[in-house]
C-alpha cells in the first residue's frame, strides 16, 4: 500500500516570520527545508503534512 504525502511549497522575497508559520502548523504542516535562491533573491520553504494529519 502506498502512502500519500502532501507537500506545500511557499516562495517569499523575505524570510517568513512566526506569524506565517502558525497557520500552516495549525493545518498540520511541518517545515522540512528552506532554500535561499541567491540568483533570484528569494526563499523557498518546503512543508510536509505531518503523519498525524494523514490518518
Amino acid at each position: 500500500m502506498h502512502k500519500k504525502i502532501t507537500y506545500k511549497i511557499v516562495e517569499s522575497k523575505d524570510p517568513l516570520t512566526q506569524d506565517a508559520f502558525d497557520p500552516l502548523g495549525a493545518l498540520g504542516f511541518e517545515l522540512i527545508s528552506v532554500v535561499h535562491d541567491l540568483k533570484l533573491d528569494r526563499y523557498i520553504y518546503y512543508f510536509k503534512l505531518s503523519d498525524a494529519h494523514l490518518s
Side-chain angles (χ1 to χ4, degrees), residues 31-43:
L31 180 66
I32 56 173
S33 180
V34 179
V35 175
H36 185 195
D37 182 346
L38 296 173
K39 185 175 182 182
L40 297 176
D41 192 29
R42 65 181 177 168
Y43 295 87

Side-chain angles (χ1 to χ4, degrees), residues 11-49:
E11 295 183 17
S12 175
K13 284 285 187 186
D14 299 310
L16 294 181
T17 63
Q18 187 63 43
D19 292 338
F21 287 105
D22 288 343
L24 288 169
L27 293 174
F29 285 92
E30 55 189 24
L31 180 66
I32 56 173
S33 180
V34 179
V35 175
H36 185 195
D37 182 346
L38 296 173
K39 185 175 182 182
L40 297 176
D41 192 29
R42 65 181 177 168
Y43 295 87
I44 306 169
Y45 295 83
Y46 296 89
F47 294 87
K48 180 181 89 166
L49 192 58

Side-chain angles (χ1 to χ4, degrees), residues 5-8 27-30 47-51 53-54:
I5 300 174
T6 303
Y7 292 96
K8 182 160 188 66
L27 293 174
F29 285 92
E30 55 189 24
F47 294 87
K48 180 181 89 166
L49 192 58
S50 67
D51 292 337
H53 283 78
L54 293 174

